[in-house]
Amino acid sequence: MTLIEPFGYIDPSGKAWEVPVGTTVDGASIPQFFWSIIGGPFDGMYRNASVVHDFYCQVKTRPYRDVHRVFRDAMGTSGVSERKAFLMYHAVNRFGPRWDNVTVDPKCLVIDDHYDFAACSRNAAPALPVPELNRENLQAFIDDVEGNVDEQDIATLRDSLSEVR
């Protein structure tokens, strides 16, 4: 999906998360394994939150923990239930992209019609390894979120354990 108009979100602390025209998002920061529970990357009420999240995962101009947190906050604003937002946030936080040492070219902080996405993406902090989505890590994830998410989602995750090596 490519944005044809500017887009953005103001988080609960008042910080603006602007996304420029021309940004292409693919929902890839939501681990594909979880699509069976939440739907595809462009389905549902979390789509707007995923636009902001995907952009900042690509340019890495803010710490990954902040980027993942804004995903959760924006989902709540879009009407995603608290339990579903909790599940999706924890999935992205555990298995989604990570990076350290955010050093940003100042021109990459100005989100406008002249934003140089290619240059800002090239200058992004290198990705850090994320935990592998294997049986052990998925079981640990289920244990961590159980009690805070819908039982049906936990059941779907448990059923999916057999699909993971």
Side-chain angles (χ1 to χ4, degrees), residues 97-129:
R98 299 175 182 195
W99 56 91
D100 267 340
N101 303 323
V102 174
T103 55
V104 181
D105 182 330
K107 70 180 177 207
C108 295
L109 296 175
V110 178
I111 311 290
D112 61 15
D113 291 343
H114 306 291
Y115 191 82
D116 189 346
F117 182 81
C120 293
S121 294
R122 278 194 307 273
N123 292 322
L128 296 174

Side-chain angles (χ1 to χ4, degrees), residues 19-135:
V19 182
V21 169
T23 296
T24 299
V25 296
D26 61 6
S29 55
I30 300 169
Q32 187 171 0
F33 178 83
F34 292 92
W35 293 1
S36 64
I37 296 171
I38 61 171
F42 304 115
D43 300 332
M45 293 185 287
Y46 66 88
R47 183 178 64 182
N48 289 346
S50 74
V51 169
V52 173
H53 187 256
D54 277 8
F55 173 72
Y56 284 94
C57 282
Q58 292 171 35
V59 297
K60 300 177 179 81
T61 55
R62 298 186 183 180
Y64 80 87
R65 285 183 176 89
D66 294 351
V67 172
H68 296 340
R69 191 173 309 111
V70 81
F71 179 56
R72 181 198 62 208
D73 293 342
M75 282 189 288
T77 301
S78 294
V80 174
S81 75
E82 195 172 311
R83 293 168 83 77
K84 188 69 77 174
F86 180 91
L87 174 68
M88 293 170 68
Y89 162 73
H90 281 281
V92 166
N93 198 47
R94 181 170 301 217
F95 299 110
R98 299 175 182 195
W99 56 91
D100 267 340
N101 303 323
V102 174
T103 55
V104 181
D105 182 330
K107 70 180 177 207
C108 295
L109 296 175
V110 178
I111 311 290
D112 61 15
D113 291 343
H114 306 291
Y115 191 82
D116 189 346
F117 182 81
C120 293
S121 294
R122 278 194 307 273
N123 292 322
L128 296 174
V130 297
E132 180 182 349
L133 184 57
N134 59 31
R135 219 179 225 157

